[in-house]
Amino acid sequence: MATAPGAAESNWDGLLQQGTGPVQRSFLDLVGSTQHYVGYSPDVVWGNLQTPQYAEAMLRLVVDFHGIPDDVQAGVAARTARAQFLGQEGRTYHVLLGYQALLTNIGGAEVMRAQLRRLAEALSLPGLTLGIIPARARLQIYPGDGFSIFDDRRVEVEGFRGGETITDPDRLALFRKAFDRLQPSALYGDAAHELIEIALSGT
């Protein structure tokens, strides 16, 4: 969830009070205007790769927690539309998932199995570099909140407190440094596929 490109940080909460649709459509606009993305998601699946069922379960939790209008289907449509940009027009995505993202139960076993299969298929998508950080991997930085970096000009961080948009160059540099220190702990390709299969076998 994020503010629209160029919007003030305070708009995030205002959009959320209208429901999930406006927030997700604004995020879709941001994704569509981005050429190079890097991001870290320690405990849930990255939004651009979420199946409709997983996205629906996630957004249902948002609606219930924040007590906002129930327009989950509009939010799901906008969130899953992000996938259209993968491999398009030279866009690149480098995404790190924590192993916990493969285990966090969003929507139940059936939803999770389909989501894990989607992740396995995504490993071969053009323009996408997907790494998974094993649960016991040695880290070069303490784990923190998930974040998204858009074209090295904007960071989005979200959590219970709401969304935060960061454009200050010094703070941007800290998130890029964090990503660069997380990345060596990740596994890619066949090794990442094996981690997904392990998670799938236990789901």
Side-chain angles (χ1 to χ4, degrees):
M1 286 171 282
T3 54
E9 296 178 23
S10 59
N11 285 352
W12 192 94
D13 290 333
L15 282 176
L16 184 61
Q17 292 310 308
Q18 300 172 38
T20 65
V23 175
Q24 294 302 315
R25 285 191 293 271
S26 293
F27 206 117
L28 178 62
D29 290 342
L30 175 58
V31 171
S33 67
T34 299
Q35 282 296 113
H36 304 293
Y37 170 96
V38 299
Y40 167 57
S41 183
D43 46 24
V44 295
V45 172
W46 179 50
N48 294 36
L49 293 179
Q50 291 179 8
T51 65
Q53 295 77 17
Y54 185 101
E56 179 176 357
M58 280 283 294
L59 294 178
R60 181 69 58 194
L61 295 175
V62 173
V63 167
D64 292 346
F65 182 74
H66 290 283
I68 58 177
D70 185 348
D71 66 343
V72 166
Q73 293 308 316
V76 169
R79 175 170 283 192
T80 55
R82 299 182 207 169
Q84 69 184 291
F85 299 113
L86 291 168
Q88 297 298 312
E89 300 176 349
R91 291 182 173 88
T92 63
Y93 300 85
H94 191 168
V95 179
L96 303 177
L97 298 181
Y99 187 69
Q100 181 59 43
L102 312 185
L103 305 180
T104 303
N105 189 345
I106 302 294
E110 184 175 350
V111 170
M112 287 302 301
R113 283 193 289 268
Q115 180 61 73
L116 290 170
R117 287 192 288 268
R118 166 64 173 153
L119 283 180
E121 295 167 356
L123 289 171
S124 60
L125 286 174
L128 174 64
T129 302
L130 179 61
I132 300 174
I133 300 175
R136 296 185 181 276
R138 184 169 182 177
L139 299 179
Q140 297 181 18
I141 184 174
Y142 56 86
D145 292 336
F147 56 85
S148 298
I149 307 175
F150 299 87
D151 286 328
D152 277 329
R153 61 181 174 81
R154 171 173 173 166
V155 175
E156 293 291 338
V157 185
E158 60 181 292
F160 294 127
R161 66 190 180 282
E164 182 181 10
T165 301
I166 298 167
T167 56
D168 175 75
D170 290 337
R171 295 189 68 196
L172 274 167
L174 285 176
F175 282 92
R176 187 67 211 209
K177 181 178 180 181
F179 183 88
D180 290 344
R181 292 202 176 185
L182 287 163
Q183 188 274 323
S185 300
L187 298 180
Y188 296 86
D190 290 343
H193 190 276
E194 183 177 351
L195 289 177
I196 295 171
E197 288 297 324
I198 292 171
L200 187 55
S201 69
T203 300

